[in-house]
Amino acid sequence: MDIQSILMQWQSVGVFDYLLPFLLIFALVFGIMQKTKILGDEKGINVLVGIVISLLSLQLDLVPRFFQQAFPRLGVGLVVLFCLMILMYMFIDSTSG
């Protein structure tokens, strides 16, 4: 089984449309709640709120469409930015201070 067929299988079961956006939204919500301690230091409450917000956000058809449009463009933009940074640091003398 090659990587293309694996990715096609994942796409057919909704990994890219639902699982990955769910995990990203959960990680962001949980991280923000842990850092700000809005509901105290209780990790379980933060997990529960993160799961609920993530599941509720996936009910909108807007979220999967947003991720399908935004992240491929973001990935290309990051590649261009990293290439520019590599080229820039190749020509900057790091020994001078």
Side-chain angles (χ1 to χ4, degrees):
M1 191 173 241
D2 62 341
I3 189 75
Q4 184 177 5
S5 61
I6 292 172
L7 291 175
M8 293 295 283
Q9 185 179 16
W10 285 0
Q11 184 178 7
S12 69
V13 296
V15 169
F16 300 113
D17 292 336
Y18 296 102
L19 181 64
L20 293 180
F22 169 81
L23 290 174
L24 180 64
I25 293 169
F26 170 76
L28 289 173
V29 170
F30 178 74
I32 290 169
M33 293 187 70
Q34 281 290 107
K35 192 71 171 169
T36 59
K37 298 184 189 319
I38 292 173
L39 298 176
D41 233 0
E42 292 294 323
K43 194 173 193 177
I45 294 174
N46 293 340
V47 168
L48 183 63
V49 171
I51 289 172
V52 168
I53 289 174
S54 300
L55 288 174
L56 287 174
S57 68
L58 289 180
Q59 283 186 330
L60 297 174
D61 191 37
L62 175 71
V63 173
R65 283 188 288 147
F66 171 76
F67 284 113
Q68 288 173 355
Q69 295 294 318
F71 283 104
R73 292 184 175 111
L74 179 66
V76 171
L78 286 174
V79 168
V80 169
L81 181 67
F82 287 145
C83 289
L84 289 173
M85 288 173 59
I86 289 170
L87 287 172
M88 186 176 72
Y89 284 109
M90 283 175 53
F91 296 108
I92 292 178
D93 184 19
S94 63
T95 59
S96 65

